[in-house]
Amino acid sequence: MKKEVTAGLDASTKTDHSRETEETMKLRCDAFHIVTHFINSASNLDNLIQQHLQTAESNSRLLVTGLHTCGDLAADLIHLFLSSSSSQVLCNVSCCYNLMTERFSDNVSHAADGNLLSEHGFPMSKALVEQRCCLGSNARMLAAQSVDRTANKNKIPAISLFWRSLLQVILFELVGEISENWCIGKLASKCSTFYDYVQAALKKLNITKSISESDVEGYAVKYHHYYRKIQCFYQLRTCLGPCIESIILLDRLAFLLEQENVEDAHLVQLFDPVISPRCYAIVSIKNHTVDV
């Protein structure tokens, strides 16, 4: 594999159309395949390589890499790296912690014998498994926030955050309850006034009870002094995002270091957090001498 990739890189620097160049270009094309395949922790990476890259040798040494692996895909990639005899190096930048599943969450599915039906994204390390650590959906969502980007923009949270909070007050007093299954999405950008926003939300939630424009305005006046408090709360809350992200990343790092076939593992910042908030990569190498 390494020889083939190197030959492909060398071919890109040649300007003549010699037979050697043509053969090298063909070798590069043969060594590169785009494959669409559903991946989970039970996937067999070695079989996948042999199936789609016939030139791969049995002693091939591979780099498993993922950029912005969404949700559980980051954990699945770590399991693939560990289970594959060909995989020697891992470089993984994760993303979308809000879509990650948790082992000790209330909505985790179990088999009849009580065992988990599948692997989950968190926790992975022995220490957090023993503690039955659970973050919850709000914390996972918070981990995906970017305090660096927020500070760089130097802007206060949009009015939509206040509208969403005030809407919850109106819905509770209008309906008498708040359902966890309610989801209105991003309505604020489509509404010019708070009244329009409330009406759009009621329609989307299929709530037949109505509220007048004057009553909506009354809520806005009554709770206006909370707007500044919500701004402060949001900014303080965003500062906690990196703490939650650190728990997730260090859990994965500790899990790798627990494995007998792992020589070393590190958490490395690769990108500017303002440009790419998910800027940390987990880099690991198995306990073999690897040329990279």
Side-chain angles (χ1 to χ4, degrees):
M1 286 291 290
K2 181 184 176 184
K3 180 180 179 181
E4 292 168 345
V5 172
T6 302
L9 292 174
D10 288 344
S12 66
T13 63
K14 294 181 180 294
T15 57
D16 64 298
H17 299 282
S18 63
R19 179 181 177 184
E20 179 184 359
T21 301
E22 292 176 358
E23 291 178 351
T24 307
M25 291 291 287
K26 182 178 183 301
L27 187 60
R28 180 180 66 178
C29 293
D30 290 342
F32 180 76
H33 293 264
I34 297 176
V35 179
T36 301
H37 189 82
F38 179 80
I39 293 293
N40 59 28
S41 58
S43 300
N44 190 311
L45 185 59
D46 292 332
N47 288 347
L48 191 63
I49 294 296
Q50 291 294 332
Q51 178 182 354
H52 295 280
L53 195 59
Q54 289 79 9
T55 56
E57 302 175 358
S58 58
N59 61 346
S60 297
R61 291 177 292 182
L62 308 177
L63 162 67
V64 179
T65 183
L67 178 59
H68 294 166
T69 48
C70 183
D72 290 340
L73 184 57
D76 289 337
L77 205 65
I78 292 175
H79 287 295
L80 287 180
F81 165 68
L82 294 172
S83 62
S84 167
S85 59
S86 300
S87 302
Q88 301 299 309
V89 181
L90 169 73
C91 182
N92 182 28
V93 179
S94 56
C95 189
C96 302
Y97 304 122
N98 53 304
L99 300 178
M100 179 179 68
T101 61
E102 296 192 63
R103 183 171 183 174
F104 301 110
S105 175
D106 292 336
N107 58 0
V108 169
S109 299
H110 292 78
D113 58 2
N115 293 322
L116 293 171
L117 290 177
S118 62
E119 296 284 354
H120 291 80
F122 182 89
M124 300 180 69
S125 65
K126 291 181 180 178
L128 293 191
V129 169
E130 290 175 355
Q131 294 293 325
R132 301 182 62 86
C133 183
C134 180
L135 298 173
S137 59
N138 286 335
R140 296 197 310 272
M141 183 69 74
L142 182 57
Q145 300 297 314
S146 173
V147 64
D148 297 280
R149 183 173 287 180
T150 300
N152 181 263
K153 288 183 177 180
N154 197 27
K155 292 182 179 180
I156 60 176
I159 189 65
S160 60
L161 191 68
F162 176 64
W163 283 4
R164 174 61 185 83
S165 303
L166 189 51
L167 173 66
Q168 185 161 325
V169 175
I170 293 176
L171 289 175
F172 182 77
E173 296 188 3
L174 189 65
V175 182
E177 63 176 354
I178 298 295
S179 173
E180 294 182 356
N181 297 322
W182 284 350
C183 180
I184 61 172
K186 298 181 179 180
L187 289 179
S189 59
K190 305 174 185 178
C191 304
S192 57
T193 66
F194 180 52
Y195 177 71
D196 293 337
Y197 177 76
V198 172
Q199 294 303 312
L202 293 176
K203 181 178 180 180
K204 188 165 186 177
L205 296 175
N206 294 318
I207 296 176
T208 57
K209 292 186 177 181
S210 61
I211 183 171
S212 67
E213 185 171 0
S214 60
D215 286 342
V216 170
E217 181 62 26
Y219 278 103
V221 173
K222 179 180 179 180
Y223 292 97
H224 180 72
H225 64 285
Y226 280 101
Y227 182 33
R228 177 58 180 168
K229 293 181 179 180
I230 287 177
Q231 290 176 331
C232 294
F233 171 75
Y234 177 83
Q235 291 172 309
L236 178 61
R237 181 177 179 271
T238 303
C239 291
L240 298 176
C243 299
I244 309 299
E245 182 180 23
S246 295
I247 293 174
I248 297 170
L249 294 177
L250 290 175
D251 172 62
R252 294 170 180 173
L253 185 67
F255 174 75
L256 280 166
L257 293 173
E258 291 167 357
Q259 309 308 310
E260 292 183 356
N261 61 340
V262 170
E263 179 178 325
D264 207 356
H266 296 273
L267 196 58
V268 182
Q269 181 175 336
L270 296 184
F271 311 118
D272 182 339
V274 175
I275 298 175
S276 179
R278 306 283 76 80
C279 60
Y280 289 99
I282 292 180
V283 180
S284 181
I285 186 171
K286 287 184 178 176
N287 50 9
H288 301 285
T289 302
V290 182
D291 297 325
V292 293

